[in-house]
Structures are given as structure tokens and as C-alpha cells.
Amino acid sequence: MGEMVRVVVVHDETLLRSALVQLLRSEDTLEAASQCPDADGAEGAALPADVCVVDGEYLSGPDGRGAGVRARYGDRLVVLTTAKRPGVLRRAFDGGALGLVDKNAPAHRLITAVHTVAKGERFLDETLTVALLKGAEMPLTTRELGVLALASQGAPVAEIAARLHLSRGTVRNYMATAIRKVGARNRIDAIRIVQSAGWT
């Protein structure tokens, strides 16, 4: 039997968190525990672990709650995500996570990823490679994303201009450019495309 690997699972959905822990415990060389975020997204005291398995949506949430997980576990992260969310995938990769596992992969892929990351090596599910490249090709600038993000919250052009210290005409130009770049019909469609890809 190989050396024991301590794994902590961070996920804000109780049922999925419990299922992941049970799956990992089915492997004799893995010792798994779960970390339950509270209502504010805080994970509480850090559990000692060699690897942290975390949901990609949780890790890249807009409230910054994933920063605590990164600070505690560094690159020893195995991130669960899908090819449909290239933005989430790209942020996990750029953030230094060593493991990227497709949520639709067979269970043994997660176990392999945990063992690989525990050795300090990278694991990338082959089903995610094309999506990772798409994530790198995100067509919008930071400013265009910012304008769309505020628009998605219902902010009118005047409010967006005031909050970003821009003129209304400049905001309209950014909006028009963003709509064109993502191939959208209008701002609502552009927001849908950007959010679906996980770029915001």
C-alpha cells in the first residue's frame, strides 16, 4: 500500500461534498475530510491536507471567497469544472492549480488527479484541453468586461460611466465593441454569452 494522502474537499453543496468525500475514502491510500463554508463563504479553520479538491465555481466566485482556499492550499488544488465554462477553467489554471478534472469524468480520474497533485505534478483531464485554449482566447478587455459586468447588474449607462470614471459615450463604445466581439445581438445576449462561458 502506498503512502497515505490527506485530502480536504471544499464545496458549498452538502450532498456533493459528502459524495466526493465518500468517493475519495473508497481508495485505501486516501484519507478524506470535508470543509464546509459558512453562509458568508468562510471555510473556518484550515484542515491539514496534502491536496484540496474544490469546485471551480466556488473557487472563482465573484465574492472572492476562493482566495482563502488558494492561500491555504496553494498549488495543491484539484479543481472540478466543465468544458462549458472555459473562463472558470482558465482562472483556475492561471491561479496555479495543479489539477483540473472534468465534472463529467469517471470517478477514477479524480482519484488519479489527487495522487498526481500530491506528488507535485500537473494533472489535466484531456476533455478540458480545448476549453482551456478557448479560455485563453477570451476576446474582451478588462474594461469591456467591467462594463458588461455592471450592465448585468442592471446599471444604466450613466451609472456605469460614473462608477468607472468614463464618459457615457465611452461606455457605449465599450458596450458596442463587446457585443461585436462576442458575436451577440445586443447587450442582454452579450451578458448571457459572457456569463455562460464563465468569463465573469
Side-chain angles (χ1 to χ4, degrees), residues 40-164:
D40 298 320
E43 296 92 14
L47 294 175
D50 302 303
V51 177
C52 174
V53 174
V54 61
D55 179 56
E57 300 295 330
Y58 178 85
L59 188 66
S60 65
D63 50 12
R65 57 191 178 169
V69 174
R70 282 197 184 91
R72 289 173 179 171
Y73 301 106
D75 63 355
R76 295 170 296 145
L77 297 177
V78 172
V79 180
L80 304 174
T81 187
T82 70
K84 294 178 183 175
R85 305 277 286 160
V88 171
L89 177 61
R90 191 74 215 184
R91 281 194 295 279
F93 182 83
D94 290 345
L98 280 179
L100 299 168
V101 177
D102 193 331
K103 289 180 180 179
N104 298 307
H108 70 86
R109 299 289 287 163
L110 175 59
I111 291 170
T112 301
V114 167
H115 281 296
T116 303
V117 169
K119 291 186 279 188
E121 299 170 7
R122 179 170 297 286
F123 180 94
L124 173 61
D125 237 329
E126 62 266 15
T127 57
L128 298 177
T129 53
V130 173
L132 185 59
L133 293 173
K134 282 185 181 175
E137 296 168 0
M138 201 279 292
L140 302 182
T141 65
T142 302
R143 185 62 88 181
E144 290 160 356
L145 266 180
V147 167
L148 274 185
L150 289 174
S152 72
Q153 298 167 14
V157 169
E159 183 182 335
I160 295 171
R163 287 175 66 176
L164 297 179

Side-chain angles (χ1 to χ4, degrees), residues 178-198:
I179 290 168
R180 179 182 49 76
K181 281 183 176 180
V182 300
R185 296 183 303 276
N186 51 43
R187 79 164 62 184
I188 303 299
D189 194 34
I191 290 166
R192 179 192 60 76
I193 291 168
V194 166
Q195 289 179 340
S196 294

